[in-house]
Amino acid sequence: MDSAEIRRRWLDFFVKRGHAEIPSASLIAADPTLLLVNAGMVPFKPYFLGQETPPAPRATSVQKCVRTLDIDEVGKTTRHGSFFQMCGNFSFGDYFKEGAITYAWELMTNSVEEGGYGLDGDRFWPTVYLDDDEAYGIWHDKIGIPAERIQRLGMAENFWSMGVPGPCGPCSELNYDRGPEYGEAGGPAVNGERYLEIWNLVFMQYERGAGTGKADFPILGDLPSKNIDTGLGLERLATILQGVDNLYEIDTSRAIMDKAAQLTGVVYGKDHKSDVALRVITDHVRAATMLIGDGVVPGNEGRGYVLRRMMRRAIRNMRLLGAHHPTVHDLVASAVDAMGPQYPELVSDYKRIDAVAVGEEESFLQTLKTGTNIFDTAVSATKGEGRKQLAAADAFQLHDTFGFPIDLTLEMAAEQGLSVDEDGFRRLMSEQKARAKADAKAKKTGHSDLSAYRELYDASGAPEFTGYGETTSEGTVRGLLRGGSVASEAGAGEEIELVLDRTPFYAEGGGQLADHGLIRLGNGALVEVLDVQKPVGDLIVHRAVVRDGEVVIGQPAEAVVDVTRRHAISRAHTATHMVHRAFRQLLGETATQAGSENAPGRFRFDFAHPQAVPQSVLADAEQLVNAVLIDDLAVTAQVMSQPEAKSMGAMALFGEKYGDRVRVVSVGDWAHELCGGTHVPNTGRLGLVKLLHESSIGAGVRRVEALVGADAYGFLAREHVLLAQVSELVKARPDELPERIAGIVGKLRDAEKEIAALKAGQVLAVAGELAGNPLDVHGVAFVAHRAPDGTSADDLRKLAFDVRGRLGSRPAVVALAAAANGRPLVLVATNETAREHGLKAGALAKIAAQTLGGGGGGKDDVAQGGGTDVGALDAALEAVRLQVAAAGPA
Ligand code: SER
């Protein structure tokens, strides 16, 4: 039974039993506690927790999942795949243990004709949690499984949670006996390879708190209702139903494995080491294809790193098997072919997926090329010194300078029989991180020592930010720094850092630049704010200069934001959201924001996209944004829970730094985005948005720069004036300009050609005359001539050859000189008889060049030299003559 059929049967079975069919969610988890979706229940978590009402009391899905915890096991065992599909049925306060167990049994053992999978019930060994007598009773009494085939296991095996705070509960697993060829008997408690776990039924009824491992966490209490969450590994079931040994050999994997074998010439099943490599490649290529399909781009952090690591492991394993040419294009194509029938978006998005994957391969092959030499040197030094461990400094250098992920160094070292000082490596990494952080803060705050800020923060907490609602606020001076240290007062002219208990000043963050403005104190002191930062936590620090009076702690303060700047920045920020929305609409939902800078009147927007955005798409995006702008949509901000934000379709960097409640900024009903910045009240306030240009700023990331409001208008107005001037100059209407200018440029080019030909003719015209009057220098026919200024080297050469030809077979030397663009040039040509007498053009040109204050040389028959002194051209020709005289035949 192929994978698509297994999937279809699953969904049909549960839909027939009243379950709503829910499509797979993206692998990018809309859950801040997870990097990637790792179980079928992830999208349903808010329903289990009672935070949201489920769309139906029962649901079923086949969810894409990625787990990388066991990545080192991939390929070695038969069971671990980093990408897999989890078939699930879910009950939200509807049926519980008996329903779940009965359904599971029916689906597994019903005949294929009845819509089941037709498996032999005698091969199943259920497990239950230690004290779960209820589940035990259902298996034993209702289903009729003999007591010796039901095993009770502890927290590690039979209690399930997401590994983080959230819903959890005891579970019951269905394990399938694959027979004695898979090892000793005794049930899943003793042999996980033989008794393959295929289906986990979780009786989700508790909420857990923070903790470590599979058992060490507190149970906070009961969930609002008793629920069911089950997960069946589609690939594992396929292993059984397709009668293959492991999940890399099932239909959807096998095609990738065969492609890898074909590309490397390795035959699967011949030796264990190559088999493991082929399985790693198969698994990782499939997982990478699915991740890219869902919009992940390779990077050095978070999901991007998961993807990069898998791609690089796959590529390295291909190389170990002997493929030294790029192979990712072919491998990804086979993965898309294999998975496409179930995920049609892979097919329609194939070009982008291929471009991202191939781009990563290119950059990794480059990394490997440079880094491998360094690695080899480090390995031989280590072995030469009789050591068994690669030094931390070597691993760090490979990482820092050559981009070798530590896993790669570990793997390559292991192949050489060496370990790596990993602790040392991590220490060096954290030292470097600390340095970089201190540097970055120092740049922003002027001080690398954050303890003064920490002191202020600990003493007075986070100030209240009032700037969403007002631009002038009353407050009190709470803290003061002078020269980086806490101070109690500061006088006129001094540079200070000031903390208030309430402030409307926006501190640089989320891509939005800081506000500027003034702070007036109760005692009459005046402070000009030049920058605002958050050096620690939510501490808002105003970097300022005291313009007048004395700043004293405890003084009342009136903080006044420069509204012209603020409004211009807010316009840019709203425009950024709109451009983000427009790109996602036009390029696909994967064109997500990768960074931005919102400055007064202009902004920069970085987003994920594998190739240049065509001019026509930029034009469409600009048009779309301006059309929405004219509609004058209201721009509003609301604070809500993350699930609420998600259900509104908010574009968000979920899982980054946002807490439970999030602020969603909406542009009408068109764009919703998590954002802490300031915005205009209505899109009409933007006036106009003009996209300037688009460029690449790294693999898979593009940048557009744009102007907003008066700046956009000013740009267009300048362009208009420029156009009018050009129109006037070439005497054509603006719409005729392209044609007219193309005509002018063409004519100019023809005229230039004509002039060059005429000049060359003039230069060459003197050939006869020169050849008719050579100087006899000790028996050598010598011609020296100064051509008109501006003669090209090419023309000099033609003339020299012409004269030399006319001089016949007697020894002949031709030396020509000219000044072109203010630089002197001498060209010397000798004929064969002259050369037989030792008169070589290269040596003669060199002597001439020395006279000109430069260098030269060339072949024996023709050479040229240049220099700096145009006034010495005649002297240079004379120097050639003297040399001919000295070395000539007579
Ligand atoms: N959540 C459980 C698991 O992942 C069952 O779906 O195993």
Side-chain angles (χ1 to χ4, degrees):
M1 192 180 293
D2 67 18
S3 294
E5 175 61 20
I6 295 175
R7 179 175 192 275
R8 195 61 260 151
R9 238 162 230 271
W10 176 279
L11 293 171
D12 286 350
F13 178 89
F14 285 105
V15 166
K16 264 199 199 123
R17 286 156 183 81
H19 293 65
E21 182 180 326
I22 310 286
S24 173
S26 158
L27 281 167
I28 298 180
D31 181 327
T33 61
L34 288 177
L35 219 47
L36 293 163
V37 169
N38 61 2
M41 53 73 67
V42 170
F44 304 121
K45 184 175 154 192
Y47 309 145
F48 291 128
L49 291 173
Q51 293 167 335
E52 276 178 54
T53 318
R58 312 174 159 205
T60 181
S61 68
V62 177
Q63 172 66 44
K64 300 179 263 188
C65 298
V66 167
R67 282 186 194 171
T68 49
L69 208 60
D70 295 327
I71 195 163
D72 294 321
E73 291 301 309
V74 167
K76 294 183 191 158
T77 78
T78 55
R79 300 168 310 205
H80 291 95
S82 46
F83 170 82
F84 59 95
Q85 297 162 92
M86 194 178 269
C87 302
N89 58 295
F90 307 91
S91 147
F92 312 112
D94 190 12
Y95 60 86
F96 198 46
K97 292 184 189 179
E98 183 167 351
I101 291 174
T102 313
Y103 284 150
W105 187 252
E106 274 175 33
L107 178 53
M108 282 296 141
T109 57
N110 277 0
S111 70
V112 172
E113 295 71 44
E114 286 171 301
Y117 292 122
L119 290 170
D120 174 4
D122 291 344
R123 291 211 183 199
F124 280 102
W125 288 63
T127 57
V128 298
Y129 181 59
L130 295 175
D131 65 359
D132 192 351
D133 296 334
E134 188 187 349
Y136 182 94
I138 300 167
W139 282 118
H140 186 263
D141 305 335
K142 178 160 189 222
I143 307 291
I145 308 260
E148 61 275 17
R149 288 216 325 263
I150 310 175
Q151 296 182 325
R152 293 181 187 253
L153 296 174
M155 286 290 278
E157 295 83 14
N158 276 66
F159 196 96
W160 197 86
S161 83
M162 295 170 75
V164 291
C168 64
C171 57
S172 177
E173 291 177 347
L174 274 82
N175 306 278
Y176 183 83
D177 181 2
R178 295 203 288 164
E181 60 272 35
Y182 289 93
E184 57 172 329
V190 298
N191 187 347
E193 283 281 310
R194 171 165 170 178
Y195 300 91
L196 187 64
E197 178 212 324
I198 52 176
W199 196 347
N200 186 13
L201 316 178
V202 184
F203 311 126
M204 205 74 111
Q205 60 190 108
Y206 305 118
E207 183 169 359
R208 61 159 276 189
T212 50
K214 287 191 166 173
D216 187 15
F217 48 80
I219 298 292
L220 303 178
D222 288 343
L223 292 174
S225 55
K226 290 184 174 172
N227 312 294
I228 288 296
D229 151 35
T230 89
L232 166 133
L234 194 155
E235 286 75 7
R236 288 189 182 183
L237 181 58
T239 305
I240 294 169
L241 290 173
Q242 294 174 13
V244 295
D245 176 68
N246 60 65
L247 46 85
Y248 315 101
E249 296 176 15
I250 64 167
D251 54 349
T252 48
S253 306
R254 185 70 206 214
I256 308 171
M257 179 137 83
D258 288 345
K259 178 52 82 177
Q262 180 205 330
L263 289 167
T264 54
V266 170
V267 178
Y268 180 65
K270 265 179 72 181
D271 79 280
H272 180 66
K273 215 169 144 200
S274 319
D275 286 356
V276 170
L278 282 174
R279 291 181 199 147
V280 170
I281 295 161
T282 304
D283 173 84
H284 288 6
V285 165
R286 194 160 85 126
T289 303
M290 299 305 293
L291 283 170
I292 300 172
D294 275 348
V296 180
V297 282
N300 289 330
E301 273 169 56
R303 322 179 165 101
Y305 184 63
V306 172
L307 170 60
R308 170 158 288 168
R309 193 170 163 207
M310 287 204 271
M311 284 209 58
R312 294 189 166 196
R313 276 170 61 107
I315 296 166
R316 247 186 57 71
N317 276 284
M318 284 299 284
R319 288 170 72 85
L320 289 176
L321 294 182
H324 286 271
H325 52 284
T327 53
V328 161
H329 171 77
D330 290 330
L331 290 172
V332 167
S334 69
V336 169
D337 284 346
M339 301 300 287
Q342 285 170 77
Y343 300 96
E345 65 278 11
L346 294 176
V347 178
S348 55
D349 220 7
Y350 170 64
K351 262 197 173 146
R352 182 186 65 80
I353 296 171
D354 178 61
V356 171
V358 168
E360 177 64 7
E361 179 179 44
E362 277 166 11
S363 83
F364 183 49
L365 291 183
Q366 191 53 42
T367 298
L368 271 180
K369 208 157 114 193
T370 37
T372 304
N373 290 335
I374 307 292
F375 175 81
D376 290 344
T377 314
V379 166
S380 31
T382 308
K383 287 185 174 169
E385 291 161 24
R387 286 185 288 123
K388 287 250 153 270
Q389 190 177 55
L390 203 65
D394 290 331
F396 181 72
Q397 191 205 11
L398 279 165
H399 176 278
D400 200 42
T401 317
F402 301 99
F404 263 43
I406 182 68
D407 316 295
L408 178 63
T409 307
L410 285 172
E411 262 184 46
M412 288 174 59
E415 283 155 21
Q416 299 289 332
L418 294 178
S419 64
V420 178
D421 177 3
E422 266 189 272
D423 290 342
F425 169 79
R426 304 220 183 272
R427 205 178 45 247
L428 291 175
M429 283 295 286
S430 59
E431 279 169 21
Q432 189 207 34
K433 261 198 191 135
R435 269 198 311 275
K437 220 169 171 179
D439 282 357
K441 293 275 187 199
K443 257 191 216 134
K444 292 280 186 207
T445 62
H447 306 291
S448 56
D449 178 11
L450 297 177
S451 56
Y453 300 114
R454 174 105 357 248
E455 212 176 297
L456 279 181
Y457 193 41
D458 291 344
S460 47
E464 179 193 349
F465 175 63
T466 58
Y468 291 136
E470 56 194 39
T471 48
T472 298
S473 298
E474 307 288 338
T476 309
V477 179
R478 280 279 182 251
L480 179 65
L481 296 184
R482 215 177 40 196
S485 312
V486 175
S488 53
E489 81 261 309
E494 288 195 281
E495 286 183 17
I496 57 165
E497 288 165 74
L498 193 68
V499 176
L500 305 176
D501 60 344
R502 309 174 71 237
T503 180
F505 279 85
Y506 183 85
E508 181 176 341
Q512 179 173 334
L513 294 190
D515 281 333
H516 291 173
L518 296 172
I519 299 176
R520 275 191 205 89
L521 301 197
N523 64 3
L526 183 67
V527 169
E528 184 179 351
V529 178
L530 303 172
D531 189 16
V532 189
Q533 296 290 335
K534 282 187 186 170
V536 289
D538 282 329
L539 183 72
I540 302 174
V541 175
H542 308 79
R543 296 184 65 198
V545 177
V546 184
R547 290 289 174 222
D548 201 10
E550 197 174 15
V551 176
V552 186
I553 300 267
Q555 276 287 313
E558 184 192 39
V560 185
V561 169
D562 170 351
V563 287
T564 309
R565 177 182 164 89
R566 157 69 82 82
H567 286 163
I569 292 176
S570 299
R571 281 195 289 271
H573 202 156
T574 305
T576 299
H577 284 210
M578 294 173 70
V579 168
H580 186 189
R581 182 80 211 100
F583 277 136
R584 289 183 76 168
Q585 203 161 311
L586 296 167
L587 297 171
E589 290 300 314
T590 52
T592 50
Q593 177 162 350
S596 67
E597 183 180 274
N598 301 296
R602 64 178 174 81
F603 66 93
R604 199 170 77 196
F605 175 66
D606 303 337
F607 58 103
H609 196 61
Q611 69 258 339
V613 179
Q615 202 55 43
S616 61
V617 175
L618 286 182
D620 288 349
E622 185 179 284
Q623 194 180 15
L624 180 58
V625 166
N626 282 293
V628 173
L629 178 160
I630 289 167
D631 287 342
D632 201 21
L633 302 180
V635 183
T636 52
Q638 270 176 289
V639 176
M640 59 183 78
S641 71
Q642 296 217 19
E644 280 173 306
K646 201 194 155 211
S647 65
M648 277 176 85
M651 295 186 278
L653 308 162
F654 277 106
E656 306 294 318
K657 54 185 181 293
Y658 295 96
D660 250 345
R661 308 282 293 167
V662 292
R663 184 170 184 262
V664 176
V665 171
S666 304
V667 176
D669 206 22
W670 183 59
H672 306 280
E673 194 160 333
L674 294 205
C675 176
T678 66
H679 289 268
V680 297
N682 292 78
T683 57
R685 294 278 180 110
L686 302 186
L688 185 70
V689 175
K690 173 77 200 140
L691 302 188
L692 295 179
H693 36 73
E694 187 265 5
S695 58
S696 162
I697 58 160
V701 185
R702 314 293 306 180
R703 166 171 292 174
V704 284
E705 299 190 48
L707 298 172
V708 193
D711 292 82
Y713 167 76
F715 174 84
L716 292 179
R718 274 193 307 280
E719 294 235 308
H720 187 76
V721 169
L722 220 59
L723 201 63
Q725 284 172 344
V726 176
S727 256
E728 174 61 31
L729 274 175
V730 303
K731 302 278 178 264
R733 288 198 317 271
D735 57 344
E736 295 167 349
L737 280 178
E739 204 180 324
R740 173 66 58 91
I741 292 178
I744 294 176
V745 169
K747 266 191 205 155
L748 200 62
R749 209 175 288 131
D750 292 346
E752 276 170 357
K753 269 193 205 144
E754 210 169 302
I755 291 169
L758 283 173
K759 263 195 187 162
Q762 260 174 13
V763 170
L764 292 175
V766 298
E769 195 189 324
L770 291 176
N773 286 306
L775 224 63
D776 185 341
V777 182
H778 294 299
V780 177
F782 180 70
V783 172
H785 170 67
R786 174 96 189 251
D789 285 356
T791 304
S792 69
D794 222 32
D795 287 344
L796 277 188
R797 181 178 297 251
K798 275 188 204 138
L799 177 60
F801 287 164
D802 192 352
V803 174
R804 185 179 67 181
R806 289 173 195 243
L807 286 172
S809 58
R810 56 193 159 145
V813 174
V814 183
L816 305 176
N821 300 325
R823 301 193 69 85
L825 179 69
V826 168
L827 190 125
V828 181
T830 57
N831 68 1
E832 206 180 322
T833 13
R835 292 197 289 280
E836 278 161 11
H837 289 101
L839 290 167
K840 297 194 169 143
L844 294 172
K846 198 164 173 192
I847 288 166
Q850 277 161 3
T851 317
L852 298 171
K859 292 189 290 189
D860 290 351
D861 69 328
V862 59
Q864 71 182 53
T868 49
D869 188 0
V870 176
L873 274 173
D874 292 330
L877 291 177
E878 180 57 11
V880 177
R881 189 188 67 82
L882 288 174
Q883 183 61 23
V884 173

